Amino acid sequence: MNDAHLHLLVNHFPIIGTLFGLGILISGMLLKNNSVKNTAYILFIVAAVFSAFSMGTGEGAEELVEDLPSIGKQIIHEHEEIAEKFAIIMYATGLFGLLSLYTSIKNHKLAKTISYVTLALAIFAAVFAKSVGTTGGEIRHTEIRANSGAVSNENNSSLQNENEED
């Protein structure tokens, strides 16, 4: 198993965990249910841990795919830049998830305030999750790139040229 495989294994959980956690946290706040909110906090903590794993395997994955046809270093660089920002936001969300969990369990007077900070961070993380997921998907899924028609035309031209040579 190489870094590209490991990266693909772990990179989805920070995105999915954040989105599920955000929905669960909002539900818990609306229902005023600490158990539901605590579930969201745990999801944020786990998502932050998986963000660290994802960042740790990203460089090795880049080395394996950057020279493949129709990939290009620019698209990987764009994904890397957004992923670094997303990871920082996820670390903050995980840290505040941990603080929220602790203050909720201890019935601390700051529990409500810290939970709103966690909510704000989770919303911010969800926005970045969309960007990091899209740019990551564009690396191998040329059909979702903004210039997918150009890539498709290049591939068709290459195939046509190969067929003409035969």
Side-chain angles (χ1 to χ4, degrees):
M1 189 177 307
N2 60 33
D3 276 347
H5 189 221
L6 288 172
H7 188 67
L8 290 171
L9 265 157
V10 299
N11 71 3
H12 294 92
F13 195 83
I15 296 169
I16 294 167
T18 299
L19 296 175
F20 281 155
L22 179 60
I24 292 168
L25 181 56
I26 291 170
S27 298
M29 289 176 149
L30 292 174
L31 297 171
K32 297 179 185 230
N33 185 320
N34 281 342
S35 294
V36 174
K37 290 190 286 186
N38 290 347
T39 301
Y41 302 145
I42 291 169
L43 270 172
F44 295 141
I45 295 164
V46 173
V49 170
F50 272 87
S51 291
F53 288 146
S54 190
M55 289 300 293
T57 58
E59 195 67 37
E62 175 184 5
E63 296 299 320
L64 290 167
V65 301
E66 68 185 347
D67 293 325
L68 292 175
S70 77
I71 300 287
K73 295 179 191 215
Q74 180 58 37
I75 198 156
I76 294 173
H77 178 72
E78 183 182 337
H79 173 63
E80 183 178 13
E81 291 296 313
I82 293 171
E84 288 170 353
K85 292 175 180 94
F86 177 64
I88 291 167
I89 296 165
M90 283 308 305
Y91 302 150
T93 305
L95 177 65
F96 272 87
L98 187 60
L99 285 170
S100 294
L101 183 62
Y102 178 79
T103 57
S104 174
I105 291 170
K106 295 294 184 180
N107 290 319
H108 195 276
K109 63 182 178 179
L110 291 176
K112 190 172 185 177
T113 303
I114 294 173
S115 71
Y116 281 114
V117 172
T118 304
L119 175 65
L121 284 167
I123 291 169
F124 196 47
V127 170
F128 268 84
K130 185 262 181 213
S131 297
V132 78
T134 300
T135 59
E138 288 173 345
I139 292 171
R140 291 296 288 164
H141 295 281
T142 57
E143 72 277 8
I144 65 171
R145 293 182 190 169
N147 63 350
S148 64
V151 171
S152 180
N153 289 336
E154 287 174 19
N155 290 341
N156 289 339
S157 296
S158 299
L159 289 173
Q160 190 175 21
N161 289 339
E162 287 176 14
N163 289 335
E164 288 173 1
E165 290 173 3
D166 290 337

